Amino acid sequence: MDYNEIIFEKKKALLKEIRHFEPAQVFECGQCFRFEKVCNGYDIIACGKKLNISRQDDTLILSPCTKEDFYGTWQRYFDLERDYNIVCESFSGADERLRIGMEYGSGVRILRQEPFETCICFIISANNNIGRIKGIVERLCRAYGSKIEGGYAFPTPEQLRNVTQEDYFALGCGYRAAYLHKTVAMILDGFELEKLRGMEYHQAREEIMRLPGVGPKVADCILLFSLDFICAFPVDVWVTRAMQAYMGQKATRKSIETYAKEEFGPYAGVAQQYLFFYVRSMERLKSFDKTKKCL
DNA sequence: TTCCAGGGTCCTA
DNA sequence: TAGGACCATGGA
């Protein structure tokens, strides 16, 4: 485990001597869209609950969080049953240049989110930016999700049954409205996301790509962030940029996927998140420097 | 005004 | 099988 002791007091869970868990990295790495940076850490809504996460020195604080909340929801959600030391050790043979980026983002953990929510969010993510995706998802939850303490839960497939393509369009989904409408219909009609867990990776990937709006990249995101396929390596524009800088400009999605599988092995998805966080952070720093020069 | 974003789909060669 | 056009939208 990546913490030495857990203490429950006053509806809080205190994880002592926490490792491989930096809240900013976990939430700012683009794997989830229902979070907000607040003065004391991050507020998130997941699994129908609202939670505040903060870190004081080497203690991670989850609030409100009872013993039942932790062992029933958050331990699994934050992937706290996995030892990320073992994951990081498995990358020790990777190329030095890639390892620098990966070490920068090594406070990232792969969240184990709900498959339906992850599926809808990543269909919305296509050719979109994180700020805008967050806005659309929030409006979707407010319009159709159940009210919970402090916000709105992500809607269930049943709650989206009568939502039309025009309704999705009105939320700002743009051309993805048709994909969302068709995918929800397929899921209501019996397409079982949970069933994919028992499949081999390539079979699960082919299967989930039957859903409209789900191509190779979105499929890998859903498999990695909600269905426990930790080997999935989503190739988006940022990761392509990072890998092309390393492999050469002619590197294609297929060659990057093949390379990642060989280089990073069964934990390729974790390596991908480390790299994603790194390249985006570097780009933000560049923008910040440019802004400073203009002032 | 143009470019870009956690891309997918469809058409053509 | 690969490459390219097109699709909505809002922030930079």
Side-chain angles (χ1 to χ4, degrees):
Chain A
M1 283 195 301
D2 290 327
Y3 58 93
N4 283 351
E5 184 188 6
I6 183 162
I7 297 170
F8 296 99
E9 60 177 34
K10 297 177 185 174
K11 286 196 173 181
K12 289 183 181 178
L14 310 179
L15 282 67
K16 300 285 186 180
E17 295 181 46
I18 187 80
R19 297 173 295 277
H20 298 289
F21 197 134
E22 288 297 335
Q25 295 188 16
V26 171
F27 299 113
E28 304 278 1
C29 71
Q31 60 177 323
C32 67
F33 304 104
R34 301 210 67 199
F35 67 89
E36 191 181 350
K37 187 167 168 41
V38 290
C39 56
N40 60 333
Y42 283 82
D43 282 347
I44 69 160
I45 294 180
C47 309
K49 297 174 184 175
K50 187 168 184 177
L51 181 74
N52 175 264
I53 302 109
S54 60
R55 186 173 170 147
Q56 286 181 4
D57 300 323
D58 64 348
T59 300
L60 189 77
I61 305 167
L62 309 183
S63 172
C65 180
T66 63
K67 196 171 183 179
E68 291 70 31
D69 290 331
F70 182 77
Y71 289 111
T73 303
W74 303 119
Q75 184 186 42
R76 176 178 164 73
Y77 181 79
F78 290 115
D79 201 23
L80 287 165
E81 292 152 308
R82 193 187 307 279
D83 185 342
Y84 275 62
N85 275 326
I86 295 174
V87 176
C88 289
E89 278 170 18
S90 75
F91 301 144
S92 58
D95 184 275
E96 178 69 25
R97 286 171 290 176
L98 290 173
R99 283 217 313 277
I100 290 169
M102 288 160 65
E103 280 165 17
Y104 184 87
S106 62
V108 173
R109 300 186 78 83
I110 302 296
L111 298 175
R112 299 166 87 174
Q113 304 176 68
E114 294 186 309
F116 179 68
E117 175 175 344
T118 312
C119 178
I120 297 301
C121 288
F122 277 94
I123 289 175
I124 293 170
S125 79
N127 199 23
N128 216 335
N129 61 65
I130 292 176
R132 194 159 165 264
I133 299 162
K134 285 177 69 179
I136 295 170
V137 172
E138 190 56 33
R139 290 194 289 277
L140 181 72
C141 294
R142 283 177 183 274
Y144 304 107
S146 301
K147 181 86 179 80
I148 61 167
E149 197 172 334
Y152 292 84
F154 195 86
T156 63
E158 195 54 46
Q159 286 174 314
L160 296 180
R161 179 178 289 278
N162 297 319
V163 179
T164 65
Q165 197 170 310
E166 290 71 27
D167 293 329
Y168 288 118
F169 204 90
L171 293 173
C173 298
Y175 66 90
R176 308 164 196 86
Y179 301 152
L180 293 171
H181 185 251
K182 288 177 190 166
T183 287
V184 171
M186 279 179 70
I187 288 171
L188 284 166
D189 206 35
F191 186 100
E192 290 184 54
L193 289 165
E194 285 291 343
K195 214 172 180 177
L196 304 177
R197 283 187 205 276
M199 294 182 185
E200 185 270 334
Y201 163 69
H202 291 288
Q203 188 189 0
R205 193 181 194 226
E206 286 303 309
E207 180 65 13
I208 203 165
M209 281 171 58
R210 287 177 47 221
L211 296 173
V214 179
K217 189 267 171 180
V218 171
D220 279 332
C221 286
I222 301 167
L223 294 176
L224 175 61
F225 301 134
S226 71
L227 290 166
D228 302 335
F229 286 90
I230 204 90
C231 62
F233 191 90
V235 179
D236 70 341
V237 290
W238 294 97
V239 171
T240 300
R241 238 173 253 161
M243 296 304 281
Q244 282 180 338
Y246 175 66
M247 297 170 64
Q249 293 302 314
K250 287 188 177 176
T252 62
R253 172 192 297 279
K254 216 163 192 175
S255 66
I256 292 171
E257 284 174 358
T258 305
Y259 179 86
K261 191 177 175 185
E262 289 171 3
E263 188 78 1
F264 306 125
Y267 298 118
V270 181
Q272 191 272 1
Q273 281 304 96
Y274 288 175
L275 288 173
F276 179 83
F277 181 78
Y278 174 69
V279 290
R280 284 198 75 225
S281 299
M282 292 304 105
E283 195 63 32
R284 279 181 187 167
L285 283 176
K286 272 189 212 165
S287 305
F288 179 69
D289 285 345
K290 275 183 196 169
T291 309
K292 272 202 306 187
K293 279 174 191 167
C294 293
L295 292 175

